[in-house]
Amino acid sequence: PVLSHVKIGFVSSSLNDERKGLDRVVRFVDDDRFELNLFGLGNIDHLRFENCTVVSHGSFVSSDLPSVFSNFDILVCPSYYDNSPNVVLEAMSFGIPVIGAAKTGMNSYITADTGHLFDFSAGSKSDFFDLVNRIIHNYPKYREGCLAHIESFSPDSIGARYVDLYREVLGR
């Protein structure tokens, strides 16, 4: 099947925060097969989108998250400065696969079952398309992977791992 009309999401409190990397996403999603859904405050007039549809939804509050994540198929998180961005786990909790920045701490969150890591600085547009294609054509698998993976971040699961660690350290 041909890749067409994939809804990509970018979520940040500020779209103009250079650390979040929206500017690094433009060259990969500026294609008529993509719709880029932006959530956050900021002016994006300086970014040049020639081919993709861009929908700017504006700011949001935490109670809006179900609505936010219902607007796209894949979250992109190109930040090289956030090693543990909340938005990655939030997306996964809604079953949304993630393409996150490679060479960051995101590799402890993003697995082969939940999305992919990508070099937004040096990666090629065709490599990005391949990752999107892989996710879209195996969407149920990625969705289930996200929902299963997020369970390992529940307070009960984290607490149980700490108890196991303490027992191991204390030799019990």
Side-chain angles (χ1 to χ4, degrees), residues 65-101:
L65 290 179
S67 174
V68 166
F69 288 103
S70 71
N71 281 282
F72 49 87
D73 306 308
I74 299 171
L75 173 76
V76 291
C77 189
S79 175
Y80 286 111
Y81 301 103
D82 290 334
N83 286 320
S84 176
N86 290 334
V87 70
V88 168
L89 294 179
E90 290 166 346
M92 289 179 191
S93 75
F94 289 98
I96 303 295
V98 180
I99 297 177

Side-chain angles (χ1 to χ4, degrees), residues 27-169:
R27 73 182 175 107
F28 300 107
V29 300
D30 194 20
D31 186 283
D32 62 5
R33 293 172 276 192
F34 294 127
E35 174 184 299
L36 180 61
N37 286 269
L38 302 173
F39 289 87
L41 287 177
N43 183 333
I44 61 164
D45 291 343
H46 65 289
L47 299 174
R48 297 288 171 245
F49 294 98
E50 297 174 11
N51 297 305
C52 77
T53 301
V54 178
V55 181
S56 188
H57 297 271
S59 64
F60 60 94
V61 295
S62 59
S63 61
D64 295 333
L65 290 179
S67 174
V68 166
F69 288 103
S70 71
N71 281 282
F72 49 87
D73 306 308
I74 299 171
L75 173 76
V76 291
C77 189
S79 175
Y80 286 111
Y81 301 103
D82 290 334
N83 286 320
S84 176
N86 290 334
V87 70
V88 168
L89 294 179
E90 290 166 346
M92 289 179 191
S93 75
F94 289 98
I96 303 295
V98 180
I99 297 177
K103 302 175 187 167
T104 67
M106 284 189 241
N107 63 337
S108 40
Y109 299 98
I110 301 172
T111 69
D113 296 328
T114 63
H116 296 281
L117 298 172
F118 182 73
D119 188 339
F120 286 92
S121 292
S124 72
K125 196 168 186 174
S126 91
D127 287 344
F128 183 80
F129 278 22
D130 287 347
L131 294 179
V132 170
N133 218 6
R134 196 174 310 156
I135 291 170
I136 292 302
H137 290 107
N138 297 289
Y139 204 79
K141 171 193 161 288
Y142 283 97
R143 184 172 183 74
E144 288 303 314
C146 288
L147 295 171
H149 186 61
I150 199 67
E151 289 301 317
S152 66
F153 294 96
S154 73
D156 288 343
S157 178
I158 292 170
R161 288 195 305 266
Y162 272 114
V163 168
D164 291 345
L165 175 64
Y166 295 147
R167 286 184 177 141
E168 181 182 325
V169 169

